[in-house]
Amino acid sequence: MNPKCDIALIGLAVMGQNLVLNMSDHGYRVAVYNRTVSKVDQFLNSSAKGKNNICGTYSIEELVNSLTSPRKIVLMVKAGEVVDNFINLLLPHLDEGDLIIDGGNSLFSDTTRRVEELASQGILFIGTGVSGGEEGARNGPSIMPGGNSEAWPLVKEIFQAISAKVDDGTPCCDWVGDGGSGHYVKMVHNGIEYGDLQMISEAYDLLYSGLKLNHDEMYTIFDEWNRGELDSYLIEITRDIMGYKEEDGKPLLTKILDRAGQKGSGKWTGINSLELGVPVTLISEAVYARSLSSLKEERLEASKILAGVERVVDGNREEIIEDLRQALYASKIVSYAQGYMLLREAAQEYNWHLNYGSIAQMWREGCIIRSVFLEKIKEAYEANSGLKNLLLDDFFASALKESQGGWRRTVGRAVAAGIPMPAISAALAFYDGYRSATLPANLIQAQRDYFGAHTYERTDRPAGQFFHTNWTGEGGDVASTTYEV
Ligand code: NBP
């Protein structure tokens, strides 16, 4: 009889297969199963061939029986209903203390619900973000687990073994917190990824359609940017994309349709930021920019009707490129600061104890937003765990001071040349709003009180006292308490 397996994985698509191979490489014995069971043999006869610590199983019962106790079962399947269906199929075969781990991109509130429902039945549940795509899953992803904390010791060793590591060997995997916090952190990671992709695309637009640079020239620029403060996986792949040519010698990028897809985690981040009242403007703009890009036919029509200006950026090329680099760097700081504002508010709202330095560490390697820059975020939170906002950290405040000139000139040039920069300009507007001791919100309060008797606070009276003015002399003196616009 074969020895029992250490862990099981259900879902042999790209992520599942690569995670299994990764666990196998680290010496773990893994049982595998897939809804379409023919894919089990396909896997065993292809990339898992010859790996005798990967065991195919052909029913849920066989999978469960192949495991040592307490059982550990990873679901790497399509998020949503499919996860609940598998949990329901597994439950009749499990014993108290067994553990189900959902490694897909589940909505954090679903994970919170599953942790609670399963705890009431004596079953442990972890919802974990796994980032890094196919290559990460195979060679070391960033792993962000949260859920029932009693479950963490059961998988800590396996997860940290297969995860990415930073240079000093620290794993990019640590316990995030209770409930759906692991999937929440993954959601914010994905939102930040949306922002990074959008900002880089805006920079490319200015270089290509504004400065009329060719792809070889842009390759060199992204290559240089990748050697400095912007050093990151996404700048690196952008450089490589600039250099990629088809057999006809033409850059493939010029032949790719400008209609960006999305799977939903950026939208979830935007929706949650609205619900929690956190101004995560850059990520939201990045989501809207993809929505606008998808209106290709409408844009084609509008391009023939609506007036604009010639898309040309004039001036000293080197200065314009350096200003753009500064704009990208400053906007990136704002984007991460907004992401961390959201994490802080969520921790408060959902009663999680998040370690912000450790989150930066988990994103440092293995995941799509990995970058040198995250080291600085980790250092900022290590120096001051109660830091109110990343922008107020000395390093980031002075980085913004140094780059704001180039940032402002870049946004000015883009506006003058009719080149849309929704993310980079939203970041600048946020920065200017955040550093404003006074905002024109006094007028909004006056307007609200004028038309809806919503009341206002006064600068010459203590905060918390509300006043209503009969602005026209014709309205009443009764203030509104329930009517909101
Ligand atoms: P998919 O998201 O394409 O999921 C494929 C798996 O889900 C297969 O095992 C498939 O079984 C199963 N499945 C589907 Br689809 N519908 C099902 C149903 N109605 N009932 C039962 N099983 C069903 O695979 P993936 O791209 O490897 O991603 C797995 C998870 O990891 C997802 O949640 C994804 O969001 C997340 N993720 C993906 C990436 C990435 O780069 N791809 C990165 C990070 C996280 P079948 O073979 O029988 O159809």
Side-chain angles (χ1 to χ4, degrees), residues 92-355:
H93 306 283
L94 298 184
D95 294 321
E96 210 171 304
D98 285 346
L99 165 63
I100 299 174
I101 303 136
D102 172 20
N105 271 343
S106 292
L107 184 60
F108 76 97
S109 48
D110 284 344
T111 304
T112 302
R113 167 180 58 80
R114 289 170 187 144
V115 170
E116 285 166 12
E117 281 173 5
L118 288 167
S120 70
Q121 300 176 63
I123 302 296
L124 302 172
F125 189 78
I126 287 180
T128 185
V130 178
S131 176
E134 179 178 2
E135 195 257 328
R138 182 67 186 88
N139 301 312
S142 159
I143 307 181
M144 299 151 250
N148 194 323
S149 59
E150 283 172 50
W152 179 225
L154 302 182
V155 284
K156 183 177 177 191
E157 187 196 290
I158 304 183
F159 279 18
Q160 292 194 334
I162 65 165
S163 75
K165 313 280 182 306
V166 288
D167 288 344
D168 68 1
T170 311
C172 294
C173 168
D174 205 353
W175 186 246
V176 175
D178 290 341
S181 60
H183 273 137
Y184 191 89
V185 166
K186 174 69 189 332
M187 177 191 81
V188 175
H189 162 284
N190 284 18
I192 288 175
E193 178 187 313
Y194 270 65
D196 277 356
L197 294 174
Q198 177 62 27
M199 283 186 274
I200 296 171
S201 303
E202 291 172 13
Y204 151 69
D205 203 9
L206 192 124
L207 294 172
Y208 187 56
S209 44
L211 276 181
K212 318 286 178 209
L213 301 189
N214 66 38
H215 291 73
D216 292 335
E217 290 167 319
M218 289 188 287
Y219 177 97
T220 307
I221 290 167
F222 283 104
D223 187 49
E224 278 167 16
W225 286 0
N226 199 39
R227 294 166 202 268
E229 290 154 334
L230 291 172
D231 180 349
S232 61
Y233 172 69
L234 288 175
I235 293 286
E236 183 188 320
I237 67 164
T238 305
R239 174 200 65 194
D240 294 348
I241 289 167
M242 295 301 152
Y244 192 96
K245 301 201 171 106
E246 287 200 308
E247 278 163 12
D248 60 6
K250 301 218 170 85
L252 172 59
L253 184 58
T254 56
K255 298 176 193 166
I256 294 179
L257 188 65
D258 54 334
R259 192 153 62 188
Q262 48 183 317
K263 281 192 167 174
S265 40
K267 183 178 81 180
W268 290 349
T269 313
I271 290 171
N272 186 256
S273 74
L274 286 169
E275 275 169 3
L276 299 189
V278 183
V280 184
T281 56
L282 192 144
I283 295 172
S284 303
E285 281 294 352
V287 177
Y288 290 135
R290 289 199 198 182
S291 308
L292 181 58
S293 83
S294 74
L295 306 175
K296 177 73 178 175
E297 285 75 25
E298 239 177 286
R299 287 191 286 114
L300 275 172
E301 223 180 297
S303 71
K304 294 180 196 124
I305 299 169
L306 300 178
V309 286
E310 203 191 341
R311 290 197 169 196
V312 177
V313 174
D314 287 322
N316 180 302
R317 202 168 107 161
E318 271 62 48
E319 278 171 25
I320 293 168
I321 294 169
E322 173 53 18
D323 282 351
L324 183 61
R325 190 193 66 77
Q326 290 179 10
L328 200 50
Y329 184 48
S331 305
K332 190 172 163 107
I333 294 173
V334 166
S335 180
Y336 283 64
Q338 291 184 344
Y340 271 84
M341 285 168 74
L342 187 59
L343 289 173
R344 268 179 78 97
E345 191 60 31
Q348 190 109 17
E349 177 76 16
Y350 308 122
N351 203 14
W352 296 330
H353 300 283
L354 301 181
N355 179 333

Side-chain angles (χ1 to χ4, degrees), residues 454-470:
H454 291 301
T455 73
Y456 53 86
E457 293 164 288
R458 297 179 62 102
T459 55
D460 55 359
R461 301 286 163 82
Q465 282 185 20
F466 291 88
F467 300 88
H468 168 57
T469 294
N470 184 349

Side-chain angles (χ1 to χ4, degrees), residues 11 13-15 34-36 39 76-78 82 86 104-105 130:
V14 59
M15 292 299 284
N34 194 71
R35 172 187 62 166
T36 308
K39 291 190 185 167
M76 215 56 211
V77 294
K78 194 175 159 196
V82 178
F86 269 116
N105 271 343
V130 178

